[in-house]
Structures are given as C-alpha cells and as structure tokens.
Amino acid sequence: LVNTAVFSVIFTRVAPLDVGMPYPLFAFCGLLAWNFSASSFRFAVQSLTSNANLVTKVYFPREIFPISAVFVSMVDLAVGATVLIALMAYYQIAPTSALIALPWVLLVHIMFTLAISLLLAMANLFYRDVKYLFELVLTVWMFVSAVLYPVSQVGGVMGTIMSLNPMTPILEAYRDVLLRGQVPDAAFGVTTVVAALFLAGAWLVFHRAEYAFAENV
C-alpha cells in the first residue's frame, strides 16, 4: 500500500501516465503479483542452507523447502487480494466472466515462481553469495517488468526487454482478468508452455544435483 501511494504520486502528479484505468489500481495489482514472486524468492534462496540438518537426511524430500516458500507467500497474496477487492469496489471496477481465467493465470504464475525458487535454493547451496547478488537482481527485475507502468509506454531497447521478460505477460494477464474484464490473449498460451517447460527443467536439474547437497551444506 505504501509503495502504491508513493508511485501513484509520481505517476499521476509528477510524470502522469495513461494506463487506461485508475493508476492506484493498476499499480497495486502489479505490486501484489510481483511481491508474491519476490517474497517466494527471498524465502526460497536460503531454504536449503537454513535447514542443513534436514537436507543431509538421505530420504528427506529436499524440494519441500522451496515449495513451502512459495506456498507461504501465497498466504500473503491471499491477504493482499482482499485489499485489491476493496480498491476495485472503491473505483467501481466490477468483475466479469473473464474471472474464470484467474486460476489459469495463477497456475502459470506459481509454476514460473516455483521454477526460479528451485534454482535459487540450489544455487545458493553451492555458491553462498547468490542470496546477496539476487537482491540486486530482484530490484532491477522489478523495474524491467510491467509492475508500475505498461509496456506500451516504454519504447526502444527497454521496451523490448520488458516484452521478453516472462513476468510481464503474467502481470498483464492479472490486469486483463481482474481489471479489464478480458481473457488473456493467445500469447499467454506461449507463456503457459514456457512456464511448464521451465518448471520441468528446474525440477530435473534440482534432482540431478541433489546427490551433492549434503556435502555442500
């Protein structure tokens, strides 16, 4: 809410942006979805190293730690969603039949977030500086995603980077379903396939490296 208030002042008074809807609603929806991923990553990156006594157990499923980080962050997402509903009511944005596509968007978001979380947890186990470097990456990543401004308002190389950023179609899909009253377009189908393949690849890499976890804790 604080971030939404700050950026609303910037992008409605200092440098006004036309986002096709009330800017606080646009920003809060983006920040809510982004914070779910960011919180998951922050919990997941140290999830293996902070549970060394369990990671070294032969029959313990190590992937449970990154998975639990994602599902814990889903609780925050659910709580934040109540504020989004209140904002929608305040700005008189009523849900439409497009809401039926919300589970699809959420599933894609979870798959992508879980894939990154698995890779982060594994990488930080082998290289302990990952958790520090990723904080910087996370900050930059937020500003090259469509969290606070639409891709249509950004041109040149930065606009291309934002378009290729996997988080951008996910964030825009939330706005489509919740705020614009439309089902995500066919391009989101590509994002779905990419997220599923990425998760499968991350899971495979995680399990292939699992044999070396105990000696690196």
Side-chain angles (χ1 to χ4, degrees), residues 35-99:
N35 285 338
F36 163 63
S37 289
S39 296
S40 298
F41 299 153
R42 289 190 176 100
F43 285 132
V45 72
Q46 298 189 71
S47 60
L48 293 179
T49 54
S50 60
N51 290 281
N53 58 326
L54 292 175
V55 171
T56 54
K57 302 294 183 183
V58 177
Y59 297 109
F60 191 85
R62 284 89 170 184
E63 64 271 18
I64 199 70
F65 297 115
I67 291 173
S68 65
V70 173
F71 280 92
V72 164
S73 297
M74 284 186 67
V75 177
D76 293 337
L77 179 66
V79 173
T82 62
V83 180
L84 179 62
I85 292 170
L87 282 172
M88 289 174 65
Y90 177 79
Y91 287 108
Q92 299 180 349
I93 303 293
T96 68
S97 58
L99 198 64

Side-chain angles (χ1 to χ4, degrees), residues 9-26:
V9 170
I10 294 172
F11 292 119
T12 59
R13 297 180 181 273
V14 180
L17 275 180
D18 180 13
V19 295
M21 66 183 71
Y23 183 80
L25 199 55
F26 178 92

Side-chain angles (χ1 to χ4, degrees), residues 137-189:
V137 172
L138 207 56
T139 302
V140 175
W141 193 2
M142 187 184 84
F143 287 101
V144 295
S145 301
V147 178
L148 301 168
Y149 31 76
V151 179
S152 59
Q153 299 283 341
V154 183
V157 176
M158 185 60 70
T160 303
I161 293 173
M162 286 182 65
S163 298
L164 296 174
N165 180 355
M167 280 300 297
T168 294
I170 293 173
L171 295 171
E172 284 301 304
Y174 276 112
R175 292 188 181 111
D176 284 341
V177 170
L178 295 171
L179 308 179
R180 299 187 182 105
Q182 59 190 43
V183 176
D185 58 22
F188 191 69

